[in-house]
Amino acid sequence: MQTKAHSTDHVAAPERAGHWNAVIAEAYFPLQLTFRDAGAFQGRLEKGSVGAVSLSRLQTQPLRYERNLRHIAGTTEEEYLITIPRRAPVDFRQLGRDVRCDPGGFIIERGDEPYRFSYEAPNDLYVLKVARPVLAEKIRSPDRHCAQVFDGRGGMGALFVSMAQQVQAQRDVDPRSAEVLGRQLIELLALAVDGQAGGGEGVRSAVREAHLRRAEAVIRRSLADPALSPDMVAEACGISKRYLHELFAEANSTVSQYIRDQRLIAARDLLQLPGTMPMSDIAYRFGFSDQAQFSRLFKAKFGQTPSGYRQQHAARGG
């Protein structure tokens, strides 16, 4: 991963606050920073990208960050930060929730909603920045998980935290490998969140959430199966088709739409891999009736044709 580093080491004391405000705005988005002692402040930030994921390591003295309405005015792109503190606890407030995340955990922050984030001791943080469309492909309704502390000390949470640190430390990763690493990071994040979400819900909603997650898992592992349909999913989950449709309607989707979107995402990921599999084979592999239908739906979702996407990705990887 090619990284760009910023530091206060050679910045004059009177200029450090302005310098660091600019560094943070460029790495994440504009924020209001409150320093304990701006003149004596020290900070270092290393930032790079792996595919669609921006990954940075932020090491600073105590600091408070605030995202206010004036920062959000005119924002057109929804982005999320996933922050992993490694040295000291962080306090976070957003959407009416106050949480403290200790080292060993991680939190999700929505960039187009006001928030306050701070730590009272020198800290070392790993931060992922991800656009909403990328995150929402793997985590349904990501807003539900903002200002919630996730455990990064065991299971999938530990794998996600460990991989984020390892990837951030890599240097000179080629673009094609970076795409794969970025996707794997989001996959691990989704698995970690999925495994820990819902602890504060009532029994009824938790059961429905579990049924929906099971149905989504059945769909994702059956994308190449020509028999994939709402009937098949309902039978695999042991629920009625009517109940299945209710679950997806509550998530502002339909079963057929979710199947189609997941197939398009899988086809897009396949187009990123080396090789020359004919476009028609990719279309048929994921259940599209013909190449023209596949091309039309792909362009509607991703803004370009499959062949154009493949050519662009090949040029970037070469």
Side-chain angles (χ1 to χ4, degrees):
M1 184 178 72
Q2 295 287 346
T3 60
K4 184 177 181 180
H6 301 274
S7 172
T8 57
D9 290 350
H10 304 293
V11 180
E15 301 171 4
R16 287 188 181 179
H19 170 75
W20 205 248
N21 268 281
V23 167
I24 293 297
E26 188 275 331
Y28 308 117
F29 30 61
L31 292 158
Q32 177 180 318
L33 306 187
T34 303
F35 301 86
R36 181 175 293 176
D37 183 347
F41 175 81
Q42 293 182 333
R44 178 174 177 81
L45 187 148
E46 296 179 347
K47 174 180 173 289
S49 295
V50 280
V53 178
S54 169
L55 180 57
S56 56
R57 183 179 184 183
L58 178 64
Q59 299 168 284
T60 81
Q61 293 180 317
L63 198 57
R64 185 172 71 187
Y65 309 77
E66 293 181 79
R67 181 83 162 147
N68 299 320
L69 289 174
R70 64 183 177 84
H71 298 128
I72 299 167
T75 299
T76 57
E77 184 176 8
E78 296 180 46
E79 297 176 308
Y80 291 80
L81 300 182
I82 299 90
T83 301
I84 307 166
R86 302 299 294 165
R87 185 175 175 186
V90 299
D91 293 305
F92 182 65
R93 176 177 177 80
Q94 187 173 52
L95 301 172
R97 306 171 196 159
D98 289 277
V99 297
R100 166 164 281 208
C101 182
D102 292 314
F106 62 90
I107 55 176
I108 301 175
E109 308 144 41
R110 179 173 169 177
D112 65 337
E113 285 288 335
Y115 71 73
R116 184 174 65 245
F117 179 99
S118 63
Y119 39 92
E120 297 300 318
N123 219 334
D124 183 1
L125 309 106
Y126 290 80
V127 185
L128 289 76
K129 185 172 77 169
V130 188
R132 180 184 177 88
V134 175
L135 197 61
E137 285 182 358
K138 302 300 180 183
I139 300 178
R140 183 174 45 81
S141 303
D143 292 355
R144 296 180 303 131
H145 307 296
C146 291
Q148 178 179 340
V149 177
F150 293 93
D151 188 358
R153 295 168 296 182
M156 288 298 172
L159 287 175
F160 163 67
V161 169
S162 176
M163 184 177 180
Q165 294 179 77
Q166 291 176 27
V167 171
Q168 197 282 328
Q170 295 294 318
R171 297 294 182 268
D172 299 324
V173 177
D174 65 89
R176 202 175 292 276
S177 298
E179 290 277 1
V180 175
L181 289 172
R183 290 201 307 272
Q184 290 176 343
L185 269 174
I186 297 300
E187 289 278 4
L188 282 176
L189 171 64
L191 289 170
V193 168
D194 187 56
Q196 299 180 45
E201 298 177 331
V203 173
R204 179 176 178 274
S205 60
V207 170
R208 293 175 77 87
E209 180 74 15
H211 280 146
L212 179 59
R213 291 202 301 268
R214 189 179 305 117
E216 291 173 340
V218 168
I219 290 170
R220 289 195 297 268
R221 67 172 178 258
S222 307
L223 296 176
D225 188 340
L228 179 59
S229 66
D231 294 277
M232 173 189 158
V233 176
E235 183 177 354
C237 294
I239 59 178
S240 71
K241 189 166 71 169
R242 178 178 179 180
Y243 181 60
L244 177 71
H245 285 301
E246 287 178 2
L247 294 176
F248 277 86
E250 290 174 359
N252 298 316
S253 183
T254 67
V255 185
S256 297
Q257 179 184 340
Y258 186 82
I259 290 173
R260 183 176 64 248
D261 285 348
Q262 290 302 308
R263 279 176 159 166
L264 288 168
I265 291 167
R268 181 204 61 188
D269 291 347
L270 189 58
L271 288 169
Q272 294 177 357
L273 298 177
T276 56
M277 180 183 288
M279 204 67 67
S280 58
D281 288 359
I282 295 176
Y284 296 138
R285 176 173 181 170
F286 292 111
F288 298 99
S289 59
D290 54 50
Q291 188 174 336
Q293 181 204 38
F294 171 55
S295 182
R296 175 174 55 80
L297 293 173
F298 190 97
K299 185 174 182 180
K301 183 166 182 63
F302 300 116
Q304 60 186 140
T305 64
S307 57
Y309 180 86
R310 171 180 268 175
Q311 291 169 5
Q312 181 187 62
H313 188 79
R316 189 166 63 243

